Amino acid sequence: PTESTNMMLTPLCLMSRLSRKLKNRNPCMYTLSSLSLYIPISPFYASSSVRACSTETSSGASTGDEERKAGDDGFKKWRKPQDVFHEWSLDGRDARMAAGHAEAVAEILGEALSQIGYPVHVNINRGDGFTAIDAGCGNGWVARKIKGTPGCRDAIGVDGAPGMIERAKEIDPEGKYEVVDLKTWNPKEQVDLVHSMEVLYYLGDDLENVLNRIHSTWLRPGGVLAAGVDFYLEHKESLEWPDIHNVKMRDLSEREWKKILEDSGFERVKLWRAARASADNGAAGTLAMVAIKAR
């Protein structure tokens, strides 16, 4: 860069902090009203200014709770999902999330339990019953719901947010809840059902690895994965969530979700939009997924 370029970086840094993205890469004029300046920006200057700002704002020691991603808009700081959910456990949002997802979860579990021979509202209690894991359990509300299902022998909840597990144990001191890293954790014994609500898209590039382990290590033959996500490409309103919450999310289409599940070894993969009956007109609904591990 020339000396004149370097002289422009300071005001450009101020501008980039006022805008999350510099979408227009054509030479143009930007108004910096606070300084009453008009500054011409070329595509090269625009990208240079973003890089310079990133260096300036991240020059301190790392706090250990952020990831950085280089992209068209420079370095983006992402918060860890477990840190965000820990905070939400402290301000009562765990209960609001449970209430907001209740209808979709009931629909997804109904389909999943029928696949393993324990349809909802039918009092079946044969043999040893079925076992389950709720991956990303939050305050444990789904694990408790599953545990109360006729025929359930055991259900545990695991989550990466310590605050959520603390809330689960406060509500249900006798329940089984653990703080784990879903990207590396495996259960001691295989189970019949793995449930996950609003979690999988936070796994990023580790999604395939986790799904492979759920299929090969977590589930018994004939076991079922039941999952729901509200963040997916067809749900256009959700695509702003990463910037709103400053958390990295994996944006996949319905077709891509189905393919990833099939590539992980699952069979009879079923996808549909859940909880649309009571949603607002035109609402996308929760993308529900139920997939079977072959016997």
Side-chain angles (χ1 to χ4, degrees), residues 228-290:
V229 294
D230 286 336
F231 180 77
Y232 55 100
L233 282 179
E234 288 81 1
H235 184 191
K236 301 303 182 184
E237 292 81 1
S238 73
L239 301 182
E240 298 180 356
W241 294 354
D243 284 334
I244 292 173
H245 299 295
N246 206 22
V247 177
K248 187 177 179 180
M249 303 177 190
R250 181 88 173 263
D251 52 348
L252 298 171
S253 67
E254 295 178 64
R255 179 178 296 181
E256 288 171 323
W257 276 110
K258 188 174 189 293
K259 185 178 187 304
I260 285 177
L261 289 168
E262 291 173 340
D263 289 347
S264 298
F266 287 99
E267 300 181 354
R268 292 157 55 193
V269 178
K270 178 180 179 180
L271 274 69
W272 76 98
R273 304 281 186 91
R276 301 191 75 176
S278 61
D280 295 334
N281 290 335
T286 295
L287 179 59
M289 298 174 273
V290 169

Side-chain angles (χ1 to χ4, degrees), residues 48-87:
S48 297
S49 68
V50 173
R51 287 196 296 271
C53 289
S54 301
T55 302
E56 178 183 346
T57 56
S58 61
S59 58
S62 173
T63 60
D65 64 351
E66 294 172 334
E67 298 176 355
R68 256 185 266 151
K69 177 191 175 197
D72 289 342
D73 52 351
F75 285 107
K76 171 72 176 178
K77 288 185 176 181
W78 300 112
R79 298 193 64 197
K80 289 185 176 180
Q82 55 266 42
D83 293 340
V84 174
F85 284 109
H86 177 80
E87 292 177 0

Side-chain angles (χ1 to χ4, degrees), residues 133-138 140 143 155-161 164-165 176-182 185 187 194-195 199 218:
I133 295 170
D134 184 20
C137 67
I156 67 171
V158 294
D159 200 287
M164 288 294 184
I165 295 300
K176 297 179 181 180
Y177 306 100
E178 299 179 34
V179 179
V180 305
D181 183 351
L182 293 177
W185 179 81
V194 173
H195 172 269
V199 174
W218 294 27

